[in-house]
Amino acid sequence: MKKQILVSGGAGYIGSHVTVELINAGYDVIVADNMSNCDMTCYEGVKKITGKQDIPFVEMDFCNYGVVEKLFTDYKIDAVIHFAAFKAVGESVVKPIMYYKNNLLSFLNLLEAIQKHGACNVLFSSSATVYGEVETLPVTEKSPRLPATSPYGKTKQMCEDILRDTIKAQTNIKGIALRYFNPIGAHPSALIGELPRGVPNNLVPYITQTAIGKRECLNIFGNDYPTPDGTCLRDYIDVVDLAKAHVATITRMVEGCMKEDYEVFNVGIGRPVSVLELVTTFEKVNELSLNYKYVERRMGDVPSLWADTTLANEELGWKATRTLEETLKSAWEWEKYVAQKENK
Ligand code: UDP
């Protein structure tokens, strides 16, 4: 019998890449999404990539307990990957109640339904943002979680705590939180990728939208940081590599290889890349010239943040393999695919 994995938020950017890799690895997937921040593009793309037309899709909101519980009555679920959450840092500062309500309630409903229906493994989609304004680099899983700088970051910290406390009290639930650094890029098929609504907040979608002509100019926020070229350093993880880390994590859980009932792993490449290096690499691999300028620093940005990935490499037997060049090529191919779809 194939193991069944529920992917909440499975029609979104990371969720769709994870769905592909799970299916490739021989899992059955149930996709659940309320479509609040995506359309059917990625779900349809997943079907094309995998050649699997019958991937169950449930349009639902995890804030509605009744429908969450029904999922567990309708399907035998071996593990859940929980992506369904709001994710815009800036928006969370302006609309904290919306963020706390949605991100906490949906996760609480999920755990309550699991508790009622017996054993289950939970993979929580967390973020490097839980480390707050870090003092020592690279960041290990043992680095302290300092106060998060946004309500979004706080919901990630709170959900990690909720999961850990629930597992402590419930012997039938096991869980792993994956703390992502900066996910970028798209599937090599260019059939799935990131679809930001409105003006992108993140660097790579802003770059690709500038290259295609949707935005006039990329603003690089600050070139006076204490870094080699003055621009910020981050750990950019390819989304397909990131998706494969989820498969390794699910396998660890369903095959009973966890060392503790609740575990945490950093998911990154373990190498700092500057904003300028990313921009120039993008230009080089895609043979184009990007319109960019330096502007003031963006509030809340830390100069440098990158991961120590030793634990994930050793315990999950996973390592990022795609090069920055491949990743930035895939991001550009995806942007061109989106533009071509929009012009049809
Ligand atoms: N950045 C930038 N211009 C943009 C968007 C981002 O210079 O239009 C920089 C930002 O200051 C940070 C890096 O790119 O140093 C990554 O930012 P992003 O918002 O993608 O992720 P974050 O690290 O903030 O989660």
Side-chain angles (χ1 to χ4, degrees), residues 147-161:
T149 50
S150 69
Y152 161 77
K154 285 182 195 150
T155 68
K156 291 293 178 193
Q157 291 180 330
M158 287 176 189
C159 285
E160 284 192 356
D161 292 345

Side-chain angles (χ1 to χ4, degrees), residues 182 200-204 206 218-221 232-234 236 275 298 301-302:
N182 290 57
N201 293 306
N202 295 117
L203 180 59
V204 171
Y206 210 104
L218 167 75
N219 291 320
I220 296 185
F221 300 133
C232 290
L233 298 173
R234 292 289 183 275
Y236 295 96
V275 175
R298 181 172 71 178
D301 277 344
V302 291

